[in-house]
Amino acid sequence: MKKVIIFGATGSIGTTCLNAIKEKQLPIEVVGISANNNYKKLEKIAYDFKVKNLLLTKAKSFNSSFNFFNNSLDLIESTPCDVVLNGVSGFDGLKITIDSIMSGKDVALANKESVVAGGEFIFDLAAKNNCKIIPVDSEHSAIKALIDSHDRVNVKSLIITASGGPFRNLEKKDFNKITVEKALNHPTWKMGPKITIDSSTLANKALEVIEASYLFNFDSKDIEVTVHPQSIVHSMIRLFDGAVYAQMGNPNMSLPIIEGIYDCYCNKELVKPLDFTNLSLTFEKPNYDNFPLLGSAYEVLEKKGGYPIAFNAANEEAVYAFLEEKISYLKLQEIVLKTISSDFNYTVKDFNDVLSIDEKARRIAKSYI
Ligand code: NDP
Ligand code: MG
């Protein structure tokens, strides 16, 4: 029985994980759960899964049948577990990743912002504490499985697939008509609002290129992105000998989440088997003119220092402002590009450096809103 704490239990990743555990009767015991505001859903999960240890980040609750903790470190340190699933959205997830590692826990990491903002610092910390960071993002879970079975020394480059989002075929002249409602309508995945907007601007793919670079230690020039609207091929690797290997399956996050918690394959079927009789797979080049944030990934990876942190922070501020209908879709893209054109040439040594660069980027981004 694996014991897991689920941060972001009420969100899309958390819910998919809990449903898989219940429906497939997996030998996983949920020992701790967290949410930001949604107390009602958190309480329901606590009753359904018999979880005693809870954390609510924003709201307060006084139900005496549960143990409420003050912060993520308290919850982790007071709850014996094998692995932490970090399914929180946004930069706040970084603190949870750091707290888990500092407590000696492996992290099944959905929160890609942790990797982008934490960068080399969190991998060094994980190495020092003898902890694993296991990717849950479907592309990175696929790449991990492919590299593990082909040996890193044989792998020349990575090919990350992108659905292309809902505006793949929209002409740039019509981008001024994009509404929040349209941007929240992702063609293949059902996810939380932040990542759904990121998927529409391809900022999600930009974050994933940076994430892949840190996770698997590849230069940006060795990471390609290909648009694959069916989301069946979850990513690929190219070997030096020319062979390309792909990981495929129907789009369903249960598989990367559960493999992340187990840190190996699952012996129960988590995803509906692929039916090859009706399968048509297409691949195309990303449109860097319409989706300039994807190109930014390569720019910030080249520059490193504080640039990936600034990209993440500016994007987060711009996405939240767009979701609140304070700015247009085009302005969202513009704010991120303008923010990263400022100076973020810093050396990042610790979490305090990350925090101050993040704060500077948010201040600049907000000044454009
Ligand atoms: P959701 O918005 O659906 O869920 C976010 C969860 O985190 C909720 O439980 C929410 O609580 C909690 N939360 C939000 N803000 C904070 C905060 N500041 N501090 C603590 N907890 C917080 O997001 P997703 O599940 O879609 O995404 C989670 C992460 O996983 C993101 O980093 C995303 O990029 C990544 N990811 C998601 C995929 C998906 O399929 N959804 C696929 C690949 C990666 P509450 O309910 O109370 O608001
Ligand atoms: Mg992904």
Side-chain angles (χ1 to χ4, degrees):
M1 197 63 123
K2 274 241 170 187
K3 288 186 165 57
V4 63
I5 300 177
I6 304 178
F7 283 92
T10 51
S12 162
I13 289 285
T15 305
T16 305
C17 176
L18 290 162
N19 288 344
I21 294 172
K22 196 171 186 174
E23 283 164 21
K24 307 290 173 182
Q25 300 189 337
L26 303 173
I28 295 175
E29 186 187 353
V30 184
V31 289
I33 48 176
S34 90
N36 200 29
N37 272 316
N38 196 343
Y39 172 66
K40 282 205 169 129
K41 190 163 177 189
L42 193 73
E43 190 181 59
K44 184 168 183 322
I45 297 167
Y47 282 122
D48 284 357
F49 287 82
K50 299 188 175 53
V51 191
K52 282 260 170 291
N53 290 359
L54 274 54
L55 170 67
L56 262 181
T57 324
K58 277 237 173 87
K60 287 268 166 284
S61 185
F62 302 99
N63 185 329
S64 60
S65 55
F66 302 116
N67 307 321
F68 276 95
F69 290 85
N70 292 326
N71 55 51
S72 47
L73 188 62
D74 274 357
L75 174 62
I76 299 165
E77 287 191 333
S78 311
T79 313
C81 76
D82 301 301
V83 57
V84 169
L85 172 64
N86 188 348
V88 162
S89 59
F91 178 76
D92 289 346
L94 176 58
K95 175 80 171 56
I96 294 164
T97 302
I98 293 172
D99 289 344
S100 307
I101 296 171
M102 296 294 278
S103 311
K105 303 297 174 200
D106 291 343
V107 191
L109 190 57
N111 179 263
K112 63 192 80 185
E113 296 89 346
S114 284
V115 180
V116 173
E120 280 141 14
F121 158 64
I122 60 161
F123 289 93
D124 290 348
L125 198 66
K128 269 187 214 143
N129 286 277
N130 216 2
C131 295
K132 289 182 190 158
I133 295 177
I134 309 144
V136 164
D137 215 347
S138 59
E139 295 77 0
H140 306 74
S141 169
I143 291 169
K144 180 182 181 297
L146 291 164
I147 293 181
D148 284 353
S149 50
H150 292 88
D151 224 334
R152 172 68 177 82
V153 291
N154 297 314
V155 185
K156 180 171 182 283
S157 61
L158 310 179
I159 308 167
I160 300 181
T161 49
S163 74
F167 309 127
R168 182 170 57 94
N169 293 320
L170 193 70
E171 287 187 48
K172 187 78 181 217
K173 67 175 177 50
D174 293 325
F175 271 42
N176 58 4
K177 297 186 194 128
I178 295 175
T179 59
V180 171
E181 192 190 344
K182 284 181 187 156
L184 282 176
N185 190 17
H186 193 274
T188 45
W189 297 97
K190 278 274 147 283
M191 310 176 287
K194 157 82 173 33
I195 185 176
T196 306
I197 300 299
D198 284 347
S199 300
S200 81
T201 60
L202 298 201
N204 182 51
K205 221 36 64 176
L207 294 171
E208 291 184 356
V209 167
I210 303 168
E211 186 186 6
S213 171
Y214 286 130
L215 272 167
F216 306 112
N217 204 10
F218 280 87
D219 284 345
S220 56
K221 69 172 176 29
D222 295 322
I223 307 175
E224 293 169 57
V225 171
T226 183
V227 173
H228 166 50
Q230 299 81 22
S231 299
I232 295 290
V233 174
H234 299 312
S235 275
M236 297 176 265
I237 56 170
R238 273 183 210 280
L239 303 194
F240 285 102
D241 65 10
V244 173
Y245 290 90
Q247 193 260 19
M248 301 165 72
N250 283 310
N252 182 332
M253 284 304 294
S254 305
L255 187 107
I257 294 170
I258 299 303
E259 285 188 354
I261 290 173
Y262 282 173
D263 191 24
C264 68
Y265 304 116
C266 181
N267 61 7
K268 293 210 176 153
E269 184 182 290
L270 298 171
V271 176
K272 208 168 101 223
L274 260 188
D275 176 3
F276 282 90
T277 53
N278 253 325
L279 200 57
S280 156
L281 304 181
T282 60
F283 300 91
E284 58 197 64
K285 261 191 176 166
N287 183 335
Y288 288 93
D289 291 331
N290 288 5
F291 303 103
L293 300 190
L294 180 56
S296 305
Y298 293 90
E299 188 188 325
V300 302
L301 267 178
E302 284 285 298
K303 293 184 175 167
K304 281 266 179 77
Y307 286 92
I309 303 168
F311 174 78
N312 180 64
N315 181 57
E316 220 166 281
E317 289 299 331
V319 168
Y320 292 143
F322 173 70
L323 281 168
E324 289 168 18
E325 299 184 326
K326 288 183 184 157
I327 56 167
S328 69
Y329 196 78
L330 285 166
K331 183 93 180 172
L332 185 178
Q333 294 175 320
E334 187 192 311
I335 286 172
V336 182
L337 297 176
K338 275 169 86 172
T339 305
I340 58 166
S341 71
S342 295
D343 181 15
F344 288 99
N345 195 8
Y346 299 107
T347 307
V348 184
K349 296 178 301 299
D350 54 29
F351 187 40
N352 282 335
D353 292 339
V354 177
L355 287 174
S356 62
I357 296 163
D358 175 83
E359 200 187 316
K360 173 177 170 181
R362 282 175 203 271
R363 206 171 49 240
I364 295 173
K366 278 183 186 159
S367 73
Y368 298 128
I369 290 171

